[in-house]
Amino acid sequence: MQQDQMYIDGQWIDAAGRQRLDCTDPYSGAVWASIPAGTAADADRAVDAARRAMTTGRWAALSASGRGRLLRAVADLITENADRLAGIEVRDNGKLLAEVQGQITSVAECWHYYAGLADKIQGATIPTEKAHAFAFTTREPIGVVAALTAWNSPLWFATVKAAPAMAAGCAVVVKPSEFASATTLELARLVEQAGLPEGVFNVVTGLGGDVGSALVDHPDVAKIAFTGSDATGIRIYQSAAKSLKRVALELGGKSPTIVFEDADLDLAAAGVMSGIFGAAGQMCAAGSRLLVHAAVKDKLLSKLIELASDIRLGDPRDPHTNVGPISTPPQYQKVLDYLDIARADGARCVLGGKPADGPDLGAGQFVEPTILVDVRNDMRIAQEEVFGPILSVIEFEDESEAVKLANEIPYGLVAGVWTTSIPRALRLSKALHVGTVWVNTYRSYSYMVPFGGTKRSGLGREHGIEAIDEYLETRSVVISTDDGPPVNPFIMR
Ligand code: NAD
């Protein structure tokens, strides 16, 4: 069995307490590897290495172009190792191999993208009202970044945090989810191979309550970049406030997919399917609430039932599989619990609604693709994130009711809009209180397009050019152009 180590200060080490955690393949149920169960002492060591890298090391002295060259080398190594990385991620979290392969292509491109931005970080000169002053700004790396990530797309989350942070000149400590750390450790291997100075990129594995909270409380961490649940995000925000750390939070959602009476229903049905049954619904952006116009509800529902009845559950490595297992035992239990909650509150199941079984289902952590009707927007199943393959269907009569239902929710991550009317698409993009609106498409992520939430879905934006700003702070410099002393040193002018 594979026994991984952590990567701290350019070295591969075990946890200070020598404890280990098992890595389980969600499909087969087999333990295939173990990772160190890091402690606060390991977090300390990693932060210290990152701080030294940023202040005295080779990284601190490197030009912006030099940083870009190193990030480009990481990107190329990811491409060379793409198949191997994809295989590891699937074994760790059970996501479909074909999907992970596509994601890893984007991961490599994302490193290239931020490598290209490293030497385009510029300040400004500022003409002021003062006669004898020259003012300019520089953009400085914010400091050591702690990146805490979730299990559903670990390599992607580590990338969209570390690549812009390192392009900005920061050093990073990544704490991947205890349920899926393997590809983040593989990324460290590639960073090492690319020749990055020690301490710039560190990975400390372990439990959130041990390593994660130690990083959040650490006085030398300047910024927390977090992807995970809203409950943990809120806890982190509260702890970070004590030392006024910068915080970016990518949290959960209960995203509406809104289908209007003028939509192309075949396209909409495919989009709804992808939004809730893709990755077994284990997506922050899952389109878990279908808001559908009363005039097309029955037609759309019968298309969805027909399509979803044909979904092939199975081994995520099999190219014929559409939906893989639920990734972790606690998540599996949570999905089943929500099925009970929904029924108890009066929702009616028109498809699925129970654990799936069958010969192709490995260790059996599968849930049938589920469609619920008779759902009201104020029910728990419509208001709380499940993170599983459960679609709640709610009917509306007109556009204003659709907007009201869509916005009456504590979350605000994404919304899908299906319509053939451009004016309506534009009106909705303005009226929906979310970070991203997808029109006639769903799950259309790009590392170039800003992504993040409003309300309980989070703070800050990842992806795109503006993600670099999350890791920079502006420094203002004002230089006197006057050779003589001030006329009156006690009066500011
Ligand atoms: P989680 O909140 O349980 O854990 C996320 C990370 O935080 C893990 O690394 C965990 O070890 C760590 N952690 C846990 N407790 C901590 C603490 N007290 N202090 C510091 N760190 C701690 O989330 P999860 O179950 O891994 O992921 C699922 C959640 O992530 C869902 O709610 C989903 O919506 C969200 N998510 C959001 C996005 C997004 O981009 N908005 C993307 C994917 C997943």
Side-chain angles (χ1 to χ4, degrees), residues 259-261 291-300 394-398 401-402:
V259 180
F260 285 97
E261 66 281 20
L291 310 182
V292 56
H293 192 278
V296 292
K297 182 187 151 202
D298 290 345
K299 206 165 164 195
L300 182 66
I394 302 171
E395 191 179 299
F396 65 84
E397 297 291 341
D398 59 27
E401 189 187 4

Side-chain angles (χ1 to χ4, degrees), residues 61-70 72 115 117-121 167:
L62 202 60
S63 68
S65 318
R67 287 202 304 274
R69 264 195 301 280
L70 288 175
R72 236 167 265 132
L117 287 175
D119 57 6
K120 288 153 197 82
I121 297 167

Side-chain angles (χ1 to χ4, degrees), residues 151-407:
W151 43 262
N152 54 330
S153 289
L155 191 56
W156 173 267
F157 299 141
T159 291
V160 297
K161 292 168 175 54
M166 287 158 65
C170 297
V172 179
V173 180
V174 188
K175 205 303 279 176
S177 166
E178 54 274 31
F179 292 109
S181 295
T183 43
T184 309
L185 290 167
E186 289 299 323
L187 178 60
R189 245 178 267 288
L190 302 180
V191 165
E192 180 183 36
Q193 209 178 320
L196 270 94
E198 62 275 5
V200 174
F201 182 85
N202 308 274
V203 180
V204 188
T205 54
L207 299 175
D210 298 339
V211 178
S213 54
L215 289 170
V216 171
D217 292 338
H218 201 292
D220 289 333
V221 168
K223 162 110 190 182
I224 312 288
F226 172 79
T227 296
S229 62
D230 52 343
T232 309
I234 288 167
R235 205 171 310 139
I236 287 175
Y237 199 25
Q238 286 168 337
S239 305
K242 289 181 209 143
S243 52
L244 278 186
K245 283 188 178 63
R246 278 49 176 160
V247 177
L249 302 171
E250 291 290 333
L251 310 177
K254 191 77 195 181
S255 298
T257 305
I258 311 171
V259 180
F260 285 97
E261 66 281 20
D262 60 8
D264 178 323
L265 291 189
D266 289 325
L267 291 184
V272 173
M273 291 267 294
S274 142
I276 188 62
F277 301 132
Q282 300 169 107
M283 302 169 268
C284 53
S288 45
R289 281 186 306 152
L290 168 60
L291 310 182
V292 56
H293 192 278
V296 292
K297 182 187 151 202
D298 290 345
K299 206 165 164 195
L300 182 66
L301 202 52
S302 57
K303 280 182 195 290
L304 285 173
I305 292 171
E306 194 185 326
L307 287 169
S309 303
D310 281 345
I311 285 175
R312 279 187 67 157
L313 304 175
D315 185 341
R317 298 157 195 88
D318 182 338
H320 302 295
T321 297
N322 304 128
V323 173
I326 303 296
S327 293
T328 73
Q331 186 55 39
Y332 181 59
Q333 191 53 51
K334 183 178 171 193
V335 176
L336 299 182
D337 289 348
Y338 268 103
L339 287 171
D340 293 341
I341 291 168
R343 283 198 193 92
D345 286 349
R348 188 165 52 87
C349 218
V350 291
L351 186 77
K354 58 182 192 312
D357 53 24
D360 301 330
L361 301 189
Q365 228 170 239
F366 282 82
V367 177
E368 291 178 348
T370 297
I371 301 179
L372 300 172
V373 295
D374 297 345
V375 176
R376 287 190 327 271
N377 202 42
D378 61 356
M379 287 182 183
R380 286 186 64 190
I381 192 65
Q383 291 286 312
E384 298 175 15
E385 183 183 50
V386 177
F387 221 57
I390 303 182
L391 180 68
S392 296
V393 182
I394 302 171
E395 191 179 299
F396 65 84
E397 297 291 341
D398 59 27
E399 189 178 308
S400 65
E401 189 187 4
V403 170
K404 187 167 178 291
L405 288 167
N407 286 337

Side-chain angles (χ1 to χ4, degrees), residues 100-121:
V100 176
Q101 283 166 332
Q103 208 175 43
I104 289 177
T105 304
S106 298
V107 161
E109 287 170 3
C110 180
W111 281 91
H112 268 296
Y113 176 80
Y114 287 109
L117 287 175
D119 57 6
K120 288 153 197 82
I121 297 167

